[in-house]
Amino acid sequence: MRVLNTAYFFMPFATAIIITYFTYTSLWTAWFDFLLWTSVTLGFFQFLTTLAQSKGAMSYSLPYTGKKLNLKVAAFVTAFNEDPEIVERTLLSVKAALGNRGDVILLDDSTKPEIVDRLSEFCKKNGIIYFHRTDRRGFKAGAINDAIKAIGDNYDLVAIFDADQRPSKSFFDIVLPFFEDPKVAFVQVPQYYEKTKSLIGQGARYQQEPFLRRIMRGRDSRSAFSLGSGTVYRISVLKEVGLLEEKSVTEDIATSVKIHEKGYVSKYVDLPLVWYGTPPTEVSAYITQQSRWALGGFQLIGTLLKSDLSFRTFMDYISGLFYWLEVGPFTLVQIAAPITFLFGIYFLKINPVIYVSAYVPYFVFSFYYFYYLMKGTEYGVKGFLLHQALEYVEFIGVTASFFAWVLRRKVPFKVTAKGRSAKSLRPLIYHVIILALLVASMTRGIFLIRGATSVQLWSIGVNEFWAAWHYFFLITGIYVSFVSMSEEEKSYVA
Amino acid sequence: MISAEFRENLIRAEYLEHVALNNLLELYRDTDREGRDYLEPEIFETMIHREIMKAIRRAWDELEELRKMPEGKKSFRELIEKLKEQDDIEKNAESFYAKQAMVAPTPFLRGLFELIFQNEKLHSDTLNYAVTARESLFELSKGSSCLIEGNPGSNFFRILDLISKDLKRKIILVKTREDLQSLSDNEILIIPSYFIDRDNARSQRDAVALATRLAVEVSRRAESGSMVVFYYANELCPAREDLVYDFWDNLLSTLKRDIKDVYVVLVCATTVDGRGCTRVYPLVDHVITVYDINALMYKVRKVYP
């Protein structure tokens, strides 16, 4: 299986090499030609995976019945210098949902003494077990692993909740019966972001829609991966795979790979059972979050290629990686392409009419298919615009994560901001520069129209289109980031 | 069986009464005649409250102890005959409490005696009706489905236990809530995801789809010849009254098609305004109406022609 998986991983790149061979203009620019085609083939292979997943996604449903299981649950709430009031509310929600099925345990890595004192006192009063570490070895994954070792064999399952994510009363009623099947290693419940006035927050919410409503549903009972919070693991399986992966910044996905590799399956329960996760509401927090997720995705490459996952499971995982490559470094390539061309560096040799005839039907069909897939969700046109705009906002951060991974640079771990962070538009400096370049190249393209042959007109048209496309989403992204900075646009609970 | 939560509440109530009584006694010690006249009835009634709380708990404990005794050989019918012989004692007690309910010195005591009188009367009625009620259950063996309906919280399990013994069938209990009492080793729990689809059922098509899927899932876990009990059935059907018939019609027919020789029991708690599962009547063979909370008085009616 490993050979097939590896072959599949390299297929977009190999396809791009073949197309490059027929379209490069000189050896000096062939590398750029290759990168541009790779950005297309990566998108195509992602689309193939979406097609494969769509049947499961569209027919997704949850069972109506289950067997009452007397499984004992250790419900972990992880915290690190969070606002104690938020943590307390979460603890009470978890306790109410858990009932007499087990114990609630707060894993507090806070370094501020006032927070430690308040939370330990709160736990004492409310019958919650309090774990505190003074070192942050392995960060969140380390805290969970240490706690699992400490609780011994007293529990069957472990549920993990972030400090700001409160389960509903019926969380365990719904989740626990899935463990009747011994092959189920963990159950994942999606986080529902709270509604915000901030457009960044709204975009982050919409961005989750295709992922949570379609991709994860399509991966249900096969390769749905842990999202870090709202996950209930079978402890015996976690122990079998050596507990949570501590070396990755997205320990949840890395651990999921190890579990799926062993032949276990995971259940995705797409119901609003976890409430009020706060999305990042301003640009720097958003980019930090996405860059961290992307870095986690890139860090997975080695694990995935070495793994012995089944082909379908591998396809699902690798599609996630292709997504991050597409959103990060290859967005940069796609933006650079029309700029380069309109400034007179002709790196690609292809009849623009053939390009348009081949690419437009694919473009239209993939759009239509995406529309068909998203029917019945909250997504809509606004969702699409905000989603795309945010991808243009995050691409430099994701690209930076890619190079950090390539160069093995250590990136300081940052907790996803919970609605409060230092507001700054500094991350958008590069976007503004790119925007200026796009405007310049489009202007130059207009001047080139005069005296151009009909074939040249087609190629100018294609490049003007892409430059305008990138310009539109970049400027929308900048606008969204800008308006999300105003004080009135604070997050609120709907 | 007394639940741990109720026991805890009784102990808490007893403690509260005890504290209240101590405070009152403290005041009684220090106050003058007029104050004492005021406090005496309050002290007296608080003492009774405390003792009642204690008595409930003790009675339950004693009953638990009694249950540990090995069973005797006397049949239910013989027992009823024996009890009837003692019925005079019950009748005497009944008339005593009825009289006290009129003449007792305080409203509180009159109310208390009235309650005990009503309870004694119920004992007497139950005794007279017990054999008839028990025999009426044998009727069920002539059909393949029944509906048990009564007030919420009634001891439906008692009747289910009797039916399963009569029909000699293994119970598969489909529970709508996890916290309901257990009756069988084979229990199926309705996962709350079901209720989300139930609430979204707007049309006949939705109701049929919902019922069919539920029946298929239940069938998958049931053996042939078993007795499938839906507890509480009224929580399963869509809220819209006009969809109830279609829902149950499909559920029952799918179950009968998928499970060989199945007996289906629907347990239905009537609503506050007395409405039950009347729309299901044409779909079942018998309806058992439970008249008391302990499920000692009940009536079997044949509803299917």
Side-chain angles (χ1 to χ4, degrees):
Chain A
M1 202 53 73
R2 204 175 290 174
V3 176
L4 182 64
N5 292 349
T6 311
Y8 181 77
F9 170 74
F10 284 108
M11 223 176 270
F13 304 98
T15 315
I17 288 175
I18 294 167
I19 306 171
T20 305
Y21 176 75
F22 291 106
T23 56
Y24 78 98
T25 51
S26 86
L27 281 174
W28 293 107
T29 55
W31 63 274
F32 190 70
D33 196 5
F34 164 72
L35 290 180
L36 186 64
W37 284 119
T38 307
S39 76
V40 176
T41 53
L42 282 175
F44 178 71
F45 276 85
Q46 261 189 85
F47 180 62
L48 282 185
T49 311
T50 310
L51 280 175
Q53 287 169 347
S54 58
K55 193 184 165 207
M58 300 309 268
S59 61
Y60 174 86
S61 67
L62 289 166
Y64 286 166
T65 59
K67 207 166 170 63
K68 191 186 168 191
L69 304 168
N70 292 320
L71 297 171
K72 205 170 172 204
V73 185
F76 291 170
V77 176
T78 56
F80 172 63
N81 289 339
E82 313 273 352
D83 179 352
E85 210 176 307
I86 294 175
V87 183
E88 286 168 7
R89 279 209 298 260
T90 302
L91 287 169
L92 291 179
S93 308
V94 177
K95 201 168 166 57
L98 190 63
N100 56 6
R101 296 181 181 97
D103 297 300
V104 182
I105 303 168
L106 174 63
L107 312 184
D108 185 19
D109 275 5
S110 299
T111 46
K112 294 177 183 168
E114 65 276 16
I115 293 180
V116 172
D117 291 346
R118 180 170 162 176
L119 287 176
S120 59
E121 191 58 32
F122 178 84
C123 289
K124 205 159 61 175
K125 273 186 195 159
N126 290 282
I128 293 162
I129 302 168
Y130 181 77
F131 273 12
H132 182 249
R133 302 191 310 168
T134 43
D135 65 326
R136 293 205 68 213
R137 188 198 55 76
F139 304 108
K140 181 178 161 184
I144 293 167
N145 287 346
D146 286 349
I148 291 175
K149 284 174 201 157
I151 59 176
D153 296 326
N154 296 328
Y155 301 89
D156 304 295
L157 307 173
V158 60
I160 297 162
F161 299 100
D162 277 351
D164 64 337
Q165 298 193 332
R166 303 201 292 277
S168 71
K169 185 83 171 65
S170 57
F171 181 90
F172 291 101
D173 296 342
I174 294 182
V175 164
L176 259 48
F178 291 108
F179 287 95
E180 185 185 352
D181 178 358
K183 294 293 278 177
V184 172
F186 65 89
V187 177
Q188 177 62 50
V189 175
Q191 58 185 42
Y192 276 68
Y193 275 150
E194 69 176 346
K195 284 183 181 165
T196 62
K197 276 188 181 173
S198 148
L199 285 175
I200 290 268
Q202 287 182 36
R205 210 165 158 265
Y206 283 124
Q207 202 172 21
Q208 298 272 319
E209 279 289 297
F211 172 66
L212 296 177
R213 301 291 89 74
R214 294 297 175 255
I215 295 172
M216 283 293 269
R217 283 182 178 200
R219 295 174 69 160
D220 172 45
S221 296
R222 187 180 60 249
S223 62
F225 61 87
S226 164
L227 302 172
S229 178
T231 318
V232 182
Y233 287 103
R234 202 186 286 275
I235 294 181
S236 58
V237 176
L238 270 187
K239 284 182 176 169
E240 194 182 326
V241 298
L243 302 178
L244 295 190
E245 178 62 53
E246 293 180 17
K247 284 176 193 158
S248 169
V249 293
T250 46
E251 70 290 341
D252 31 30
I253 314 178
T255 309
S256 305
V257 172
K258 289 200 293 184
I259 289 172
H260 290 134
E261 201 181 358
K262 292 266 178 196
Y264 290 104
V265 296
S266 48
K267 188 78 200 157
Y268 178 64
V269 179
D270 192 8
L271 288 176
L273 298 175
V274 180
W275 286 102
Y276 303 129
T278 315
T281 51
E282 55 81 43
V283 66
S284 57
Y286 174 76
I287 291 177
T288 304
Q289 182 203 53
Q290 296 295 310
S291 307
R292 188 170 71 84
W293 289 357
L295 182 63
F298 298 131
Q299 285 178 343
L300 263 188
I301 295 179
T303 314
L304 285 174
L305 291 177
K306 276 184 240 156
S307 75
D308 200 19
L309 291 167
S310 72
F311 179 67
R312 273 308 307 277
T313 307
F314 180 83
M315 203 175 158
D316 291 336
Y317 273 109
I318 215 70
S319 176
L321 169 70
F322 289 170
Y323 169 80
W324 287 118
L325 286 173
E326 180 90 14
V327 168
F330 286 97
T331 297
L332 188 65
V333 172
Q334 284 174 357
I335 293 174
I339 296 176
T340 318
F341 187 86
L342 292 168
F343 277 105
I345 303 165
Y346 305 118
F347 59 91
L348 187 72
K349 181 181 71 188
I350 186 170
N351 186 328
V353 181
I354 295 173
Y355 171 83
V356 170
S357 327
Y359 196 78
V360 168
Y362 163 67
F363 190 71
V364 171
F365 178 69
S366 55
F367 249 86
Y368 171 76
Y369 198 75
F370 187 66
Y371 164 78
Y372 161 75
L373 272 183
M374 294 312 293
K375 241 169 50 175
T377 67
E378 282 183 27
Y379 200 65
V381 176
K382 186 184 175 189
F384 174 76
L385 287 177
L386 284 175
H387 178 176
Q388 293 300 316
L390 286 199
E391 284 191 351
Y392 277 81
V393 167
E394 75 188 71
F395 92 90
I396 289 178
V398 175
T399 308
S401 290
F402 174 74
F403 286 111
W405 170 73
V406 170
L407 302 170
R408 299 285 185 270
R409 263 185 53 206
K410 281 204 169 180
V411 177
F413 177 86
K414 283 182 185 174
V415 177
T416 306
K418 314 289 183 201
R420 58 188 171 89
S421 58
K423 292 184 173 183
S424 165
L425 282 174
R426 270 183 66 188
L428 294 178
I429 292 171
Y430 301 106
H431 296 75
V432 175
I433 296 169
I434 292 168
L435 206 63
L437 284 170
L438 279 169
V439 172
S441 63
M442 280 193 291
T443 315
R444 191 162 186 276
I446 290 165
F447 283 114
L448 287 174
I449 292 172
R450 234 175 129 186
T453 64
S454 68
V455 172
Q456 281 171 336
L457 274 177
W458 274 93
S459 58
I460 291 167
V462 167
N463 284 287
E464 285 283 336
F465 169 79
W466 282 120
W469 176 274
H470 298 314
Y471 174 83
F472 174 73
F473 285 112
L474 256 177
I475 197 131
T476 311
I478 291 170
Y479 169 76
V480 162
S481 308
F482 186 72
V483 294
S484 295
M485 295 296 288
S486 76
E487 195 55 41
E488 297 79 47
E489 295 291 314
K490 280 190 300 194
S491 125
Y492 74 101
V493 177
Chain B
M1 201 184 72
I2 183 170
S3 73
E5 192 187 349
F6 188 60
R7 170 187 288 279
E8 206 174 289
N9 288 343
L10 285 173
I11 295 168
R12 195 170 292 145
E14 190 184 324
Y15 175 73
L16 289 175
E17 295 294 348
H18 181 74
V19 171
L21 188 63
N22 279 352
N23 289 342
L24 292 171
L25 289 174
E26 201 70 35
L27 294 168
Y28 187 81
R29 217 170 280 134
D30 300 337
T31 194
D32 62 7
R33 185 67 257 160
E34 196 187 343
R36 287 187 171 196
D37 287 346
Y38 176 83
L39 281 175
E40 271 170 17
E42 205 168 324
I43 288 171
F44 175 64
E45 285 170 10
T46 308
M47 282 171 171
I48 296 174
H49 295 171
R50 185 190 59 182
E51 294 307 310
I52 289 174
M53 296 306 127
K54 203 184 285 178
I56 297 171
R57 189 164 51 83
R58 282 184 182 168
W60 240 303
D61 289 347
E62 278 180 42
L63 195 62
E64 282 298 302
E65 283 304 309
L66 284 175
R67 283 184 178 139
K68 290 175 189 163
M69 282 168 62
E71 281 179 27
K73 286 182 179 167
K74 197 168 277 174
S75 70
F76 177 70
R77 181 181 281 278
E78 286 170 319
L79 166 81
I80 298 298
E81 293 308 320
K82 274 273 171 219
L83 284 173
K84 276 184 178 168
E85 285 170 21
Q86 293 180 24
D87 198 28
D88 288 345
I89 304 170
E90 295 280 332
K91 282 271 185 295
N92 287 342
E94 202 179 307
S95 60
F96 168 76
Y97 289 121
K99 195 178 168 193
Q100 292 307 311
M102 312 280 276
V103 300
T106 68
F108 172 68
L109 288 177
R110 285 198 290 277
L112 197 60
F113 283 121
E114 172 66 26
L115 258 176
I116 299 174
F117 158 67
Q118 294 292 348
N119 197 244
E120 290 288 359
K121 198 168 171 299
L122 182 72
H123 286 183
S124 189
D125 292 348
T126 316
L127 186 62
N128 290 326
Y129 189 71
V131 175
T132 324
R134 180 69 190 89
E135 280 173 358
S136 69
L137 281 185
F138 294 120
E139 273 292 303
L140 299 180
S141 60
K142 293 174 190 165
S144 63
S145 57
C146 74
L147 167 75
I148 307 174
E149 63 174 9
N151 289 326
S154 293
N155 187 1
F156 297 117
F157 282 98
R158 184 178 175 272
I159 295 191
L160 285 171
D161 194 33
L162 295 173
I163 298 174
S164 71
K165 277 178 191 157
D166 286 353
L167 300 177
K168 296 184 180 64
R169 283 169 189 265
K170 209 174 161 191
I171 294 183
I172 294 164
L173 191 66
V174 183
K175 282 161 74 167
T176 51
R177 279 175 269 153
E178 202 175 340
D179 55 350
L180 293 170
Q181 192 185 329
S182 286
L183 186 73
S184 159
D185 295 337
N186 198 354
E187 288 189 349
I188 298 170
L189 192 66
I190 299 288
I191 302 178
S193 53
Y194 170 81
F195 298 111
I196 294 166
D197 283 358
R198 179 203 62 181
D199 295 342
N200 290 331
R202 301 268 182 273
S203 64
Q204 191 187 5
R205 201 175 143 202
D206 294 342
V208 169
L210 189 74
T212 311
R213 227 186 102 188
L214 178 61
V216 168
E217 284 194 29
V218 171
S219 309
R220 223 178 282 150
R221 294 162 185 268
E223 292 168 27
S224 60
S226 50
M227 183 168 108
V228 179
V229 180
F230 287 91
Y231 201 100
Y232 290 107
N234 47 314
E235 291 178 4
L236 289 172
C237 50
R240 265 179 55 180
E241 273 288 302
D242 57 323
L243 300 179
V244 174
Y245 181 88
D246 291 311
F247 174 82
W248 285 114
D249 188 20
N250 273 279
L251 191 117
L252 291 171
S253 53
T254 311
L255 281 177
K256 284 176 184 174
R257 189 190 64 216
D258 291 355
I259 313 169
K260 206 176 152 195
D261 184 32
V262 68
Y263 192 93
V264 185
V265 180
L266 309 178
V267 177
C268 178
T270 49
T271 52
V272 182
D273 57 5
R275 278 188 302 132
C277 292
T278 47
R279 289 194 182 251
V280 189
Y281 286 4
L283 297 168
V284 291
D285 300 314
H286 296 95
V287 172
I288 306 166
T289 311
V290 180
Y291 294 103
D292 72 316
I293 202 100
N294 296 315
L296 293 167
M297 288 182 69
Y298 46 87
K299 197 172 176 182
V300 177
R301 277 179 295 154
K302 189 167 189 280
V303 284
Y304 192 75

